[in-house]
């Protein structure tokens, strides 16, 4: 495989054109309704040039960014999950017939735009999240056929993150700011002059790169990219210790912190919707008035909704506290047992887009402090249990 | 306020279940009833323009004064009930409607939560009447505006001010097919995220009741860059106290937070409890319209 190359600033348009010419639907970051979102892209002038973002718990604002940067912002409002694992997907149609009924599985033609997707601007966290979804949806006995079809055709152009936000912690979980393996191409946006360092991660990426007008990268280009990565790593807004998470959370099932979080948690499901790895869904049957046609759709659901834990006779998790506990413990602990990887990629979206500003990195730290204090008391050490952990654990938290 | 034609007979209501047609022309009968309300929810039925012919094929519109003067005597297979109970006469009439109805569906914030007129429940209604009418002694009203379910058994509730036409058609399709309707009970936020709307609260600081409000509208207002004003009432596990605190911490005055929760679903206990007693904030009252477009 050829080495890293330099794509001139306007050369990015050639990359987009090459993807379009190969039949891809190109999606890239653009400003919509006060945020950077993924949207159809044909012209690189639509990229958020000179736009940055400000992200904090429950807070997102656009701001002026580096004048020359087209990717000078952090995580987009929604991750590529919304494209590869869409919120509403037709599974099959049933039709009434003269002698019963017929069932037709959904076909690609049901999607008004069923070109394979090329995602431009995925970050390290996004690429890692796609790898997690690959494990969950493709790596088990029953492959998700709908996801598999989209994923097989997808082309990923990742971009090294230069401007992490206040809610970012990819450096803590090892997913960024330089994207790990998994994308077809990785771009790193360099300044003075504005240019892109391009590295191919797959044969498909290599083939596309070969079709572009590039020059070999110099040691100075590589050093500039390393400097950008080091700078971004140092500017992560948050950190999370990860080495003890499964043990800590599995041992903290009765932590008083869950009830304290539930005082604030709105059970609105925003965190799970924006999480790039959350994959829980429900199915909905949609019938028409005549009774002749029925459609089964798969739609995003959430462990924060009470009906999601409904089994015969009632809901299993009737307390918001138990639902938050389920989500966090699954994401950071039992996910590892189930799938061999953490469910958290450090994008910080669940923190930014929580209307109540609940911060999982802070909650994990508090749960750890409470556990350590509890252990200290159990060991007879001085200090005693902290008093700011919230309400006592409800008996038999469900 | 009340209709003058009420074709109620004393025949018993038909049995419930898949509707095969209870009338000679084989179509199930549909009746639409109005109590204290603005008519907007029954208009939603007329607004189902593309589906009206298909609907008319499946049901006989037996009583719907807003649409037709033709009246078929009861009982009725399906009754849509709009409005709240605010008079002694209506409290009696809803019992008759119930007795004449197979499946009784309440439609809208008035029928499901008492409507905006339930603001009277928080005040001395006699004082309000004296302030508004020159001859309040001529009025006959109850002290409280109450939802239909406070008076009779309700089979299906459709929320909103007004109701969502898609949900109305879903309920009618479900009743005709003898299946349970598909009506989400989670938050409006889930619908915003599914349709890809950028959160107006997080990204623009708008006051939005979406996190505590029942889904079903398709997150209509945020899609037009307005905060949700909670007309569908509480979602199934609402945390109104937390949202009230969030709004207060964002700089919204306590009186404005209270007003935001007290609009179309003011009679919903979870919304009432969200601000009772009033939460403390540092800001002073403002003239901004609370809850709908107000920036805390």
């Amino acid at each position: 495989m050829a080495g890293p190359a330099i794509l001139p600033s306007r050369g990015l348009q050639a990359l987009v054109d090459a993807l379009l010419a190969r039949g891809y639907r190109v999606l890239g970051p653009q400003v919509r309704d006060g945020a950077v979102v993924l949207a159809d892209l044909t012209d690189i002038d639509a990229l958020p040039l000179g736009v940055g973002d400000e992200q904090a718990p429950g807070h997102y604002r656009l701001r002026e960014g580096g004048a020359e940067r087209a990717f000078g912002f952090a995580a987009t409002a929604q991750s590529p999950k919304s494209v590869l694992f869409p919120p509403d997907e037709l599974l099959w149609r049933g039709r009434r017939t003269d002698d019963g009924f017929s069932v037709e599985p959904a076909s690609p033609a049901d999607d008004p735009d069923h070109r394979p997707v090329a995602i431009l601007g995925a970050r390290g966290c996004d690429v890692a999240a796609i790898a997690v979804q690959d494990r969950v949806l493709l790596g088990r006995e029953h492959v998700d056929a709908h996801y598999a079809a989209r994923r097989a055709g997808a082309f990923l152009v990742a971009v090294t993150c230069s401007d992490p936000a206040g809610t970012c912690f990819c450096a803590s979980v090892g997913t960024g700011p330089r994207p790990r393996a998994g994308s077809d191409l990785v771009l790193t946006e360099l300044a003075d002059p504005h240019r892109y360092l391009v590295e191919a991660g797959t044969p498909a990426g290599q083939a596309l790169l070969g079709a572009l007008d590039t020059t070999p990268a110099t040691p100075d280009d590589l050093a500039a990219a390393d400097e950008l990565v080091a700078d971004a790593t140092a500017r992560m807004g948050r950190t999370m210790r990860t080495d003890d998470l499964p043990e800590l959370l599995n041992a903290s099932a009765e932590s008083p912190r869950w009830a304290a979080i539930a005082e604030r948690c709105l059970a609105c499901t925003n965190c799970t919707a924006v999480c790039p790895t959350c994959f829980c869904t429900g199915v909905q049957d949609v019938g028409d008035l005549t009774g002749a046609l029925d459609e089964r759709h798969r739609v995003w659901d959430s462990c924060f909704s009470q009906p999601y834990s409904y089994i015969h006779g009632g809901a299993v998790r009737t307390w918001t506290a138990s639902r938050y506990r389920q989500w966090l413990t699954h994401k950071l602990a039992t996910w590892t047992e189930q799938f061999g990887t953490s469910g958290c990629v450090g994008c910080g979206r669940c923190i930014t887009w929580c209307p109540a500003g609940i911060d999982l990195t802070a909650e994990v730290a508090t749960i750890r402090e409470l556990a350590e204090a509890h252990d200290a008391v159990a060991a007879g050490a001085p200090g005693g249990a902290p008093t700011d952990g919230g309400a006592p654990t409800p008996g038999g938290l469900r | 306020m009340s209709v003058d034609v009420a074709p109620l007979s004393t025949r018993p209501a038909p049995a419930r279940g898949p509707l095969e047609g209870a009338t000679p022309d084989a179509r199930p009968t549909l009746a639409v009833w109005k109590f204290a309300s603005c008519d907007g929810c029954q208009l939603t039925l007329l607004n189902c323009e593309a589906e009206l012919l298909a609907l008319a094929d499946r049901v006989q519109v037996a009583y719907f004064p807003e649409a037709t003067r033709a009246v078929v005597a009861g009982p009725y297979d399906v009754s849509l009930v709009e409005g709240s109970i605010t008079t002694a006469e209506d409290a009696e009439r809803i019992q008759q409607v119930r007795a004449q109805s197979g499946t009784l569906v309440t439609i809208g914030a008035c029928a499901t939560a008492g409507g905006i007129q339930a603001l009277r429940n928080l005040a001395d209604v006699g004082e309000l009447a004296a302030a508004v009418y020159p001859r309040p002694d001529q009025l006959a009203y109850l002290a409280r505006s109450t939802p239909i379910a406070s008076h009779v058994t309700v089979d299906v509730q459709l929320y909103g001010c007004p109701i969502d036409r898609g949900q109305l058609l879903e309920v009618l399709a479900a009743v005709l097919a003898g299946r349970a309707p598909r009506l989400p009970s989670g938050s409006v936020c889930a619908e915003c995220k599914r349709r890809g709307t950028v959160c107006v609260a997080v990204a623009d600081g708008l006051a939005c009741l979406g996190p505590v409000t029942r889904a079903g509208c398709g997150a209509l207002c945020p899609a037009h860059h307005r905060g949700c004003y909670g007309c569908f009432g509480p979602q199934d596990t609402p945390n109104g106290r937390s949202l009230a605190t969030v709004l207060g911490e964002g700089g919204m005055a306590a009186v404005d937070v209270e007003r935001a929760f007290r609009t179309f679903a003011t009679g919903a206990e979870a919304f009432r409890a969200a601000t009772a007693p009033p939460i403390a904030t540092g800001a002073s009252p403002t003239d901004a319209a609370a809850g709908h477009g107000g920036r805390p």
Side-chain angles (χ1 to χ4, degrees), chain A residues 258-317:
Chain A
W258 305 119
I261 297 167
E263 297 267 306
R264 298 171 63 206
C265 177
L266 296 159
C268 61
T269 73
N270 274 305
C271 50
T272 55
V274 296
C275 176
T277 67
C278 274
F279 59 90
C280 287
T281 55
V283 290
Q284 291 181 348
D285 288 340
V286 184
D288 74 349
L289 272 174
T290 67
L293 176 67
D294 188 77
E295 290 185 347
R296 174 157 289 189
H297 291 250
R298 176 173 70 184
V299 296
W300 286 355
D301 204 337
S302 170
C303 54
F304 279 88
S305 83
Q306 177 156 292
Y308 191 71
S309 73
Y310 185 91
I311 58 173
H312 175 75
V316 174
R317 291 185 283 272

Side-chain angles (χ1 to χ4, degrees), chain A residues 324-348:
Chain A
Y324 188 92
R325 179 181 67 181
Q326 159 66 22
W327 175 71
L328 193 74
T329 306
H330 188 213
K331 188 68 56 186
L332 299 178
T334 53
W335 201 296
T336 305
E337 298 163 20
Q338 193 177 2
F339 303 116
T341 175
S342 168
C344 179
V345 296
C347 69

Side-chain angles (χ1 to χ4, degrees), chain A residues 10-289:
Chain A
R10 296 304 300 181
L12 191 60
Q13 184 65 52
L15 170 59
V16 171
D17 290 342
L19 289 167
L20 291 168
R22 283 162 171 73
Y24 287 101
R25 174 189 177 197
V26 180
L27 296 163
Q30 285 156 76
V31 172
R32 295 270 194 285
D33 300 324
V36 180
V37 304
L38 281 178
D40 280 278
L41 182 80
T42 55
D43 184 343
I44 63 165
D45 286 337
L47 293 170
L49 190 69
V51 173
D53 57 17
E54 175 186 291
Q55 300 192 35
H59 177 89
Y60 181 103
R61 291 291 185 280
L62 295 177
R63 60 170 175 78
E64 283 192 20
E68 278 215 333
R69 285 203 184 286
F71 298 93
F73 46 85
T76 48
Q78 280 277 15
S79 75
K81 176 177 86 170
S82 58
V83 178
L84 298 173
F85 191 68
D88 186 331
E89 180 151 53
L90 176 68
L91 297 180
W92 50 259
R93 284 194 187 87
R95 291 183 200 279
R96 191 186 296 278
T97 60
D98 290 341
D99 55 351
F101 63 90
S102 67
V103 173
E104 312 154 8
S107 81
D110 288 310
D111 193 342
D113 187 344
H114 49 269
R115 290 175 291 172
V117 293
I119 296 168
L120 170 65
R123 299 313 173 97
C125 53
D126 296 327
V127 173
I130 291 169
V132 171
Q133 288 224 310
D134 286 352
R135 286 206 190 198
V136 172
L137 301 170
L138 306 178
R140 294 189 290 166
E141 186 180 351
H142 299 288
V143 168
D144 185 310
H146 301 269
Y147 179 82
R150 282 204 188 77
R151 184 69 183 93
F155 191 96
L156 292 182
V157 184
V159 174
T160 303
C161 203
S162 58
D163 293 86
T167 51
C168 287
F169 56 103
C170 66
S172 292
V173 296
T175 61
R178 173 171 273 161
R180 290 188 310 196
S183 29
D184 297 291
L185 291 175
V186 177
L187 307 184
T188 303
E189 190 174 21
L190 302 175
D192 301 320
H194 186 250
R195 64 202 190 281
Y196 296 95
L197 175 70
V198 192
E199 295 161 282
T202 63
Q206 186 66 47
L208 193 77
L209 179 55
L212 299 175
D213 195 5
T214 62
T215 54
T218 66
D220 282 352
D221 294 324
L222 299 177
D226 289 345
E227 189 182 333
L228 178 139
V229 167
D231 177 59
T233 304
R235 288 191 290 123
M236 291 288 143
R238 281 181 157 58
T239 58
M240 185 169 75
R241 181 182 153 192
T242 60
D243 61 310
D244 64 344
L245 285 179
E247 300 77 14
L248 171 68
L249 292 171
N250 286 332
S252 296
E254 300 299 326
S255 173
R257 192 62 192 168
W258 305 119
I261 297 167
E263 297 267 306
R264 298 171 63 206
C265 177
L266 296 159
C268 61
T269 73
N270 274 305
C271 50
T272 55
V274 296
C275 176
T277 67
C278 274
F279 59 90
C280 287
T281 55
V283 290
Q284 291 181 348
D285 288 340
V286 184
D288 74 349
L289 272 174

Side-chain angles (χ1 to χ4, degrees), chain A residues 61 264-265 268 289 300, chain B residues 58 187 193-194 202 239 242:
Chain A
R61 291 291 185 280
R264 298 171 63 206
C265 177
C268 61
L289 272 174
W300 286 355
Chain B
R58 296 297 313 279
S187 75
K193 289 294 180 284
R194 281 181 204 155
V202 168
N239 190 346
S242 175

